[in-house]
Amino acid sequence: MEYVNVFEKIGYGKEITDERLDLIFEMLFYSGEDVRIYHEAGDDMGYIVDTGNNDVRTEGMSYGMMMCVQMNKKNEFDRLWKWAKTCMVLSD
């Protein structure tokens, strides 16, 4: 599937939009503690913090995974997926 780049449609070039998206991803996933929302847990898991509630929610995890899919970040996706499957289990 190919995604439509809305920024390109309104006149921004592909190079500048790709650079900006990469910068935003790096900021949200790998910048300092006071900025990033992604946190690694152990050797193979990670989670997205809901900054409004200071905890982890399914919605934030799903948005994080979708960002990873769209940015082709398999490692980060796999870490989020494993954390969700391991730590967000439904109780009977």
Side-chain angles (χ1 to χ4, degrees):
M1 172 179 259
E2 186 159 333
Y3 297 101
V4 174
N5 188 326
V6 179
F7 298 113
E8 285 182 46
K9 287 186 91 166
I10 61 173
Y12 292 96
K14 179 172 176 33
E15 184 176 313
I16 197 163
T17 56
D18 287 348
E19 286 176 11
R20 181 71 174 154
L21 290 172
D22 287 340
L23 179 68
I24 292 167
F25 186 89
E26 287 297 316
M27 181 184 69
L28 292 174
F29 277 68
Y30 292 109
S31 64
E33 281 292 318
D34 59 331
V35 176
R36 68 185 166 130
I37 58 172
Y38 170 79
H39 300 273
E40 291 186 351
D43 292 333
D44 59 355
M45 292 192 287
Y47 59 90
I48 301 288
V49 170
D50 176 340
T51 59
N53 295 292
N54 199 30
D55 63 6
V56 180
R57 308 263 171 131
T58 55
E59 183 179 25
M61 292 294 286
S62 65
Y63 280 125
M65 285 186 263
M66 182 52 77
M67 284 188 275
C68 292
V69 167
Q70 292 177 336
M71 298 294 293
N72 197 29
K73 303 288 188 177
K74 184 178 182 341
N75 179 53
E76 290 85 348
F77 176 91
D78 289 345
R79 286 174 163 272
L80 291 171
W81 179 256
K82 185 167 184 183
W83 196 95
K85 292 287 286 179
T86 302
C87 301
M88 301 183 105
V89 294
L90 295 174
S91 60
D92 293 329

